[in-house]
Amino acid sequence: MAQEFTVKSEIIEDKINQLLPSQGGAGAGVDFSASTLIIPTIDLTETAEGSRLRADLQVAMDFASSFNAINNTTTVLVNTTGFFRVFGTSVRGNVATGNNRIFLSDGFTTKVVFQDSITTNSVSIPPNGLSFDFIVYLRAGDTLSGQSNSANMDLNVSTRQVADVSGNLTNPLGFV
């Protein structure tokens, strides 16, 4: 049999009133009771969301991933709908001016989501690299492209779909 007792904690009462305003809210304080009865809590969040994987494993690279090495050109990276993980490196060689960028386009408007530029007009800066890792959402008609505008600027980009256009998670290829 469970033992009942009253909770006299102003901190707990304030937090419950803040989180559950319909249970007392900013009005007069309410006495809360507790029990020694143990009620298990089962977290079904990942399963309810359609995945049995932790989030970091669900976005893992797999054989459905794509890779593009871009140098002094523009390349379409993804042109299908959904959520995509985009990661890689931007490498600047011995160059005075140039940029690497990743951008979204709907055919009319361009939205830069990553850019690595150099505008020093000096080739004495040593080569360096910059890593990136982010998620983008593409609607019907949207494209994700990468661009390097110099032979001394390299953009190395990997992409993998992590959810469809409705937000349903896409597990790594072959995961059962």
Side-chain angles (χ1 to χ4, degrees):
M1 178 173 219
Q3 180 184 4
E4 295 284 330
F5 55 94
T6 303
V7 177
K8 292 290 186 183
S9 170
E10 192 173 314
I11 295 171
I12 292 174
E13 287 180 8
D14 289 345
K15 189 62 175 180
I16 290 175
N17 287 333
Q18 174 192 356
L19 295 173
L20 304 169
S22 65
Q23 302 302 313
V30 177
D31 286 337
F32 297 99
S33 63
S35 170
T36 57
L37 178 65
I38 298 172
I39 300 172
T41 301
I42 301 170
D43 184 359
L44 300 174
T45 305
E46 289 177 346
T47 304
E49 291 174 343
S51 176
R52 295 182 320 223
L53 289 174
R54 294 188 329 241
D56 60 328
L57 299 178
Q58 191 273 324
V59 298
M61 300 307 287
D62 63 3
F63 276 96
S65 304
S66 75
F67 173 79
N68 287 276
I70 304 167
N71 180 269
N72 206 28
T73 191
T74 300
T75 301
V76 172
L77 302 169
V78 180
N79 61 5
T80 57
T81 60
F83 293 85
F84 293 83
R85 178 180 179 203
V86 181
F87 80 97
T89 57
S90 172
V91 181
R92 294 187 222 155
N94 203 6
V95 62
T97 61
N99 70 58
N100 285 332
R101 65 184 191 143
I102 298 173
F103 60 94
L104 296 166
S105 175
D106 62 5
F108 302 102
T109 306
T110 298
K111 178 75 172 181
V112 175
V113 294
F114 170 84
Q115 183 163 307
D116 181 20
S117 299
I118 187 165
T119 57
T120 63
N121 292 321
S122 170
V123 293
S124 62
I125 296 175
N128 65 26
L130 178 65
S131 297
F132 54 86
D133 191 346
F134 53 88
I135 305 285
V136 296
Y137 174 70
L138 300 177
R139 308 164 300 178
D142 290 351
T143 59
L144 178 72
S145 298
Q147 180 182 61
S148 163
N149 72 353
S150 169
N152 289 324
M153 300 284 288
D154 294 304
L155 187 58
N156 301 300
V157 185
S158 290
T159 59
R160 184 176 90 71
Q161 186 169 21
V162 295
D164 66 18
V165 70
S166 300
N168 300 307
L169 299 179
T170 305
N171 286 327
L173 186 65
F175 179 79
V176 183

